[in-house]
């Protein structure tokens, strides 16, 4: 209860105006609800009873009673409108605000944090957890107005007769106490159900994202069973919540009805004693009848507080997560020359015990091409991520044109360094949208120039709508090599001074890859290239090769020199060459696409 009220307090402080609009409408509705009971009682006592006694209806009194009831009804309509407008605006504005906060936090958290958290959980944090955190906001103004209504109702009961006040003091606290018991009973069940929602979302996302693996490995049945087990747990948790609601809902409905019966019994006695009038008995009876529904609003808020607390805590776990991608305030000078990249005694570890790089020092001179070569796990992809500023070194420095990477502004880093990762990500957008990403200064000519340099002009021209062809989710309509070329074109369209290729052409035909790298080398010193390379032909194109193993630089030099002097390097490159030859025999070309020198695609 305490934590839930704290969440409500945060919500009210974030949206005070919309909360006050909702509460004002709810209080108006509540007070008019109490007033309507006395208007009805007055109409019965002054219009209906006299009409029975005299055998005729007084038109003036009837019109006055109807006008009073109509006026109160119109006022209640305005109150309902204000209450719902304020509550809805408050709830949806808070949800939108916190979704934006979560999304912004995702973008600032370091890559290492994202690797520790499943994508399905992150989706649940930004969606269902945010919704759950502010679910009690919808009935909150109604509940606050109901409290004001109950205070007014009890005060009016004391003004009418002490016996009626005793009935009210017995029923209203009982209603509140029952709501508290309801909240405490349902709290752990709702908390478990909300946690299971995230689990189900994570399993579903993982299964769908790995659909190819699931199908090719024949794991459909086991994945279905895994998802079914989690969905079954969620079902059972929701049924448990439903059972509690099914037990308490009738009780919450019954108490006001018992109050009405008690009022009628007490009223009959007090009426016979002459202590009250028939109008007052009718007013109090009607009051208990109309209070039944508004009082439920308090129960709705209390019942949703546990779910709200769970959602809030899961959202706050993201917002309070430690770590930040740090940028500085330095800008690089405007120039079209390639950038110089230098690693100085760089050390990096994903965890304290898991050291990936140890005292790595090397340089990529301006306008030159340097290849990173090493066995699996040597640290090549980590170096690529460090060069692009995605992660920070535990020790040492990474310099771009003499400036520490951490001192550069985000714009300076993004405009100067481009990373093309191992797995090419393509948005569910057009080719044009995937290449320009809405960046300023990239017109259609620049898009075509980037596609031409990435050797993608041919197949893009052959697409049904050219640049405006939608490629589907994750580029589903494209082959692996085509996706990689689109990703490369995206990086080149920004005209970077340093491009980092992390095995970014593995799905491309070797001859196309060679043509792409040769084209990049021909940019007359405009681009420096750091490439994680496996193919011998690619390695041979580099001006210099850095040989890594177990997170250390074991040798540097030209490809020919390392072949002649470093046995480990020679053995590794030979192994790569054999594996590449085997792949070429099995798959002669990338998805049966033969890319001609002229850029045409023949199927």
């Amino acid at each position: 209860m305490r934590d839930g009220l704290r969440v409500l307090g945060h919500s009210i402080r974030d949206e005070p105006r919309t909360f006050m609009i909702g509460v004002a409408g709810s209080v108006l509705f509540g007070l008019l609800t109490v007033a309507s009971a006395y208007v009805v009682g007055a109409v019965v006592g002054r219009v209906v009873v006299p009409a029975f006694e005299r055998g005729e209806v007084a038109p003036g009194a009837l019109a006055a009673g109807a006008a009073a009831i109509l006026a109160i009804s119109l006022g209640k309509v305005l109150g309902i409108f204000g209450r719902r407008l304020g509550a809805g605006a408050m709830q949806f504005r808070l949800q939108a605000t916190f979704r934006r906060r979560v999304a912004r936090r995702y973008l600032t958290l370091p890559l290492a944090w994202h690797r520790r958290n499943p994508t399905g959980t992150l989706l649940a944090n930004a969606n269902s957890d945010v919704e759950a955190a502010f679910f009690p906001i919808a009935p909150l103004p109604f509940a606050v107005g109901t409290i004001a209504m109950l205070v007014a109702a009890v005060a009016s009961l004391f003004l009418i007769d002490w016996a009626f006040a005793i009935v009210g003091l017995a029923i209203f606290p009982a209603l509140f106490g029952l709501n508290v018991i309801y909240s405490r009973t349902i709290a752990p069940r709702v908390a478990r159900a909300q946690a299971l929602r995230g689990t189900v979302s994570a399993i579903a996302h993982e299964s769908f994202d790995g659909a190819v693996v699931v199908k090719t490995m024949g794991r459909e049945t086991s994945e279905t069973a895994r998802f079914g087990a989690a969905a079954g747990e969620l079902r059972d948790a929701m049924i448990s919540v439903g059972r509690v609601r099914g037990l308490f809902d009738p009780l919450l409905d019954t108490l006001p009805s018992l109050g009405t019966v008690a009022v009628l019994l007490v009223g009959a006695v007090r009426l016979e004693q002459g202590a009250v009038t028939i109008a007052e008995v009718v007013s109090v009876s009607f009051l208990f009848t109309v209070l039944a529904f508004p009082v439920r609003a308090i129960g709705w808020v209390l019942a949703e507080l546990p779910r709200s607390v769970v959602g809030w805590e899961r959202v706050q776990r993201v917002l309070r997560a430690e770590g930040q991608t740090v940028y500085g305030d330095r800008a690089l000078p405007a120039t079209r020359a390639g950038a110089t990249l230098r690693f100085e005694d760089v050390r990096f570890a994903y965890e304290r015990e898991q050291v990936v790089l140890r005292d790595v020092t090397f340089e990529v001179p301006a306008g030159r091409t340097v290849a990173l070569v090493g066995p699996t796990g040597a640290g090549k992809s980590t170096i690529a991520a460090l060069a692009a500023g995605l992660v920070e070194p535990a020790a040492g420095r990474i310099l771009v044109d003499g400036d520490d990477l951490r001192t550069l502004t985000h714009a300076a880093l993004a405009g100067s360094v481009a990373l093309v990762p191992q797995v090419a990500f393509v948005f569910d957008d057009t080719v044009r949208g995937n290449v320009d990403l809405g960046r300023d200064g990239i017109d259609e000519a620049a898009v075509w120039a980037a596609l031409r340099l990435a050797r993608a002009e041919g197949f893009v021209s052959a697409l049904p709508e050219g640049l405006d062809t939608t490629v589907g989710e994750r580029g589903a309509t494209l082959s692996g090599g085509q996706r990689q070329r689109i990703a490369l074109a995206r990086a080149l369209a920004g005209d970077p001074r340093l491009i980092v290729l992390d095995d970014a052409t593995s799905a491309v035909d070797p001859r196309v890859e060679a043509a792409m790298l040769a084209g990049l080398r021909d940019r007359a010193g405009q681009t420096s290239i750091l490439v994680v390379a496996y193919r011998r032909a690619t390695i041979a194109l580099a001006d210099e090769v850095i040989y890594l193993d177990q997170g250390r630089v074991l040798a540097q030099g030209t490809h020919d020199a390392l072949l002649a002097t470093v046995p480990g390097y020679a053995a590794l490159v030979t192994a790569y060459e054999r594996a590449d030859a085997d792949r070429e025999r099995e798959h002669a070309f990338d998805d049966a696409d033969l890319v001609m020198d002229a850029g045409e695609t023949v199927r």
Side-chain angles (χ1 to χ4, degrees):
M1 179 74 72
R2 181 177 60 253
D3 293 340
L5 293 177
R6 188 178 296 117
V7 174
L8 295 182
H10 280 292
S11 304
I12 293 169
R13 286 194 294 273
D14 280 354
E15 288 290 335
R17 292 184 181 179
T18 51
F19 175 70
M20 291 308 299
I21 291 172
V23 168
S26 182
V27 170
L28 176 62
F29 172 81
L31 296 179
L32 289 178
T33 297
V34 174
S36 68
Y38 294 97
V39 170
V40 169
V43 170
V44 170
R46 298 181 184 182
V47 179
V48 177
V49 173
F52 277 108
E53 291 173 349
R54 293 194 301 265
E56 61 178 2
V57 177
L62 183 62
I69 292 174
L70 181 60
I72 286 179
S73 298
L74 290 174
K76 289 171 70 176
V77 168
L78 290 175
I80 292 172
F81 176 77
R83 182 190 79 211
R84 292 189 173 179
L85 177 65
M90 181 180 180
Q91 183 181 34
F92 298 137
R93 284 165 67 98
L94 283 168
Q95 289 176 355
T97 297
F98 275 82
R99 282 196 178 100
R100 286 193 291 265
R101 289 180 185 176
V102 169
R104 282 197 295 267
R105 190 65 186 129
Y106 283 163
L107 294 174
T108 58
L109 284 167
L111 206 58
W113 185 89
H114 285 274
R115 287 172 173 161
R116 293 194 300 267
N117 293 273
T119 303
T121 300
L122 301 186
L123 290 173
N125 292 152
N127 187 30
S128 61
D129 289 336
V130 170
E131 287 184 358
F134 302 110
F135 209 80
I137 297 301
L140 178 61
F142 196 6
V144 174
T146 297
I147 293 173
M149 180 177 65
L150 290 177
V151 172
V154 171
S156 65
L157 291 178
F158 273 105
L159 292 174
I160 292 174
D161 187 66
W162 61 268
F164 290 149
I166 289 176
V167 175
L169 291 177
I171 295 297
F172 296 152
L175 274 172
F176 185 78
L178 186 60
N179 275 311
V180 171
I181 295 172
Y182 175 37
S183 173
R184 290 183 176 179
T185 305
I186 206 170
R189 293 167 173 82
V190 172
R192 174 171 167 74
Q194 187 61 24
L196 285 171
R197 289 175 190 271
T199 301
V200 170
S201 176
I203 293 174
H205 182 273
E206 187 176 51
S207 295
F208 301 154
D209 211 31
V212 173
V213 175
V214 171
K215 286 185 172 294
T216 56
M217 296 296 170
R219 304 302 297 167
E220 294 94 332
T221 302
S222 62
E223 282 299 296
T224 300
R226 187 165 74 105
F227 181 80
E233 286 189 68
L234 177 58
R235 174 204 60 207
D236 294 341
M238 295 303 296
I239 289 175
S240 177
V241 171
R243 285 198 187 102
V244 174
R245 285 179 173 168
L247 173 64
F248 279 89
D249 281 356
L251 294 176
L252 291 169
D253 282 335
T254 300
L255 273 178
S257 300
L258 292 176
T260 302
V261 173
V263 164
L264 290 173
L265 293 175
V266 171
V269 174
R270 299 294 287 169
L271 186 64
E272 187 176 350
Q273 295 173 348
V276 295
T277 65
I278 186 67
E280 290 172 331
V281 174
V282 171
S283 294
V284 175
S285 301
F286 186 77
L287 179 62
F288 273 82
T289 301
V290 297
L291 282 178
F293 177 73
V295 166
R296 294 295 304 279
I298 299 174
W300 294 335
V301 172
L302 294 176
E304 293 299 338
L305 283 184
R307 181 181 173 189
S308 172
V309 170
V310 173
W312 175 264
E313 289 176 349
R314 286 166 63 88
V315 169
Q316 290 302 309
R317 183 185 68 85
V318 175
L319 298 180
R320 291 195 299 261
E322 295 182 356
Q324 184 97 3
T325 303
V326 180
Y327 299 102
D329 55 5
R330 291 182 61 82
L332 291 172
T335 176
R336 295 188 62 83
T340 298
L341 173 70
R342 180 167 177 78
F343 276 54
E344 291 185 351
D345 299 320
V346 171
R347 183 180 180 276
F348 181 83
Y350 287 106
E351 302 293 341
R352 288 184 179 179
E353 301 80 12
Q354 187 186 355
V355 179
V356 180
L357 299 177
R358 298 172 177 83
D359 303 322
V360 171
T361 298
F362 68 87
E363 183 175 291
V364 179
R368 307 284 280 177
T369 299
V370 173
L372 284 175
V373 179
T376 301
K380 303 182 295 297
S381 293
T382 300
I383 287 177
L386 285 163
L390 295 180
V391 292
E392 294 185 26
R397 296 193 306 166
I398 302 170
L399 308 174
V400 175
D401 283 348
D403 289 317
D404 193 309
L405 214 61
R406 289 168 289 196
T407 67
L408 299 180
T409 66
H410 188 199
L413 182 60
S416 300
V417 182
L419 169 67
V420 186
Q422 288 177 325
V423 180
F425 184 86
V426 179
F427 294 94
D428 186 6
D429 197 354
T430 62
V431 174
R432 185 196 308 273
N434 269 287
V435 175
D436 66 26
L437 292 183
R439 291 171 287 182
D440 294 334
I442 302 179
D443 54 16
E444 184 166 330
V447 170
W448 279 117
L451 290 170
R452 194 174 303 116
L453 196 56
R455 296 302 187 266
E457 181 185 26
F459 80 79
V460 171
S461 299
L463 293 174
E465 297 178 59
L467 288 179
D468 296 315
T469 301
T470 300
V471 297
E473 185 178 5
R474 293 179 176 267
T477 63
L478 303 175
S479 71
Q482 289 171 339
R483 287 194 293 270
Q484 286 190 332
R485 281 177 270 174
I486 292 293
L488 178 59
R490 175 194 301 153
L492 293 171
D495 198 22
R497 298 176 57 219
L498 169 66
I499 187 164
V500 182
L501 305 177
D502 183 11
D503 193 24
T505 55
S506 58
V508 177
D509 181 271
R511 284 176 290 180
V512 178
E513 180 189 39
M516 291 162 58
L517 292 175
L520 291 174
R521 284 170 55 90
D522 291 341
R523 285 168 60 86
Q526 294 179 29
T527 307
S528 306
I529 304 171
L530 177 64
V531 55
V532 175
Y534 292 92
R535 290 171 174 162
R536 184 165 185 162
T538 305
I539 298 170
L541 287 171
D543 299 303
E544 188 175 25
V545 177
I546 298 169
Y547 176 47
L548 292 168
D549 194 8
Q550 297 183 356
R552 297 182 185 277
V553 176
L554 298 186
Q556 289 181 249
T558 64
H559 170 61
D560 292 335
L562 294 184
L563 275 179
T565 59
V566 182
Y569 175 80
L572 182 65
V573 172
T574 301
Y576 285 158
E577 191 171 34
R578 279 200 214 97
D580 203 39
D582 291 341
R583 281 196 299 268
E584 279 201 66
R585 280 195 296 271
E586 293 176 10
H587 306 287
F589 302 102
D590 172 32
D591 288 344
D593 288 348
L594 175 59
V595 182
M596 311 299 290
D597 291 340
E600 299 177 354
T601 302
V602 179
R603 292 193 179 275

